[in-house]
Amino acid sequence: MWYNVIRNYNKEESYILELIDLKSSIINDNINTLLKDRTTNKNIIFATSDYEGFSFSDEITKNIIENEKVDFRPRVQKSLEEQNIRTKNKAEVFTPSWICNKMNNFLDEEWFGKKNVFNTESEDKKWTSTYDKKIEFDSKDDWKKYVLSKRMEITCGEAPFLVSRYDTATGGMISIEERIGLLDRKLRIVSENVETEREWNKWAYRAYESTFGYEFQGDSLLIARINLLETFYEYYVYKWNKKPNKTSVKRIADIISRNIWQMDGIHEVLPYPGGFIEDGFSEDPNQINFFDKMVDTEQTQNEIKEIETVDCKIFDWKEKEEVLFKQIKECEDMKFDYIVGNPPFQEDNSDRNRDDSIYQYFYDASFEMSKVTCLITIARFLFEIGSTSQEWNNK
């Protein structure tokens, strides 16, 4: 079940909130697209063994969703025990909404050259939106440049940096005016600068085409995709006081299935089963397996070459073609303007050796493919117990 908004078309009244299931029309009508893996043209896979009766490599299908064979839930709805297990074993890390807002504000301060454009942060880990006034740009068409700026959340989980439909700590819904995601901000800009539905749709499509994210686990990826789809629906209703047509929603779902994809972020390949236990992998390999026994990066890459892996593809919307994700590092025009996120590190290093850190691999990859990078790092990893060199720490 997911949080959703019962659409209240009077913007002066607060939204009424409740939980709904996957059989809502907007999800059900587009579930095949939301489950699509564009690299293989099959479905996304579980990439976890957490669900009884399903293995790591099993595809998540419409039948599984329709017959409620598994209970997919956002992290905030999982039990504390489930959360702790997934943090330790699956690299599922928790990012409070106020931190997402702080980091996204940093990116926008860099873009606008000033603070407090979308909201003003307060000391109580809250924020006050500037939604009551239109955001000003230096020149008439600069708002379009903002919408087209390419932004990506790495290891995105449920995509809290991209869209902020609910508070990641409490599960409470966040109103349109108070949302802080990177895509939320783009859609606000679109709504403030267009006068017709046709033009709004055009620039909403552009906003989605320039917003990216990848995630390892299939359940979190599906939730992220649903959050992005519901976000389009909600902003459309908020702006135009009516539901979008099915064709528009379908197009957004297609963009989401290409831009929010499944990937092992360290090796830039599809999640794969099997591996070598003695070399730091387990029977259920994933980003966090390296916590158990980190191995030399070069050695790891050599071992991976012996496993049948598939390089992930993403869509180049400018050239209208699929490209390998790895190619982004080699082509300046394909690089992201901004990368943000909370990469896997190690939550508790007290009884482990210094060879546990993996966050630096996500940093290095981000440096290679973006102009501005803003990621979370626990300070003690840099200065006390991390496995990174002093040279890397200085960088």
Side-chain angles (χ1 to χ4, degrees), residues 200-211:
W200 192 93
N201 276 334
K202 171 186 173 181
W203 283 100
Y205 299 152
R206 299 293 181 271
Y208 274 80
E209 289 172 356
S210 57
T211 303

Side-chain angles (χ1 to χ4, degrees), residues 337-348:
D337 295 302
Y338 300 95
I339 287 181
V340 68
N342 190 354
F345 34 86
Q346 182 181 338
E347 191 170 67
D348 182 2

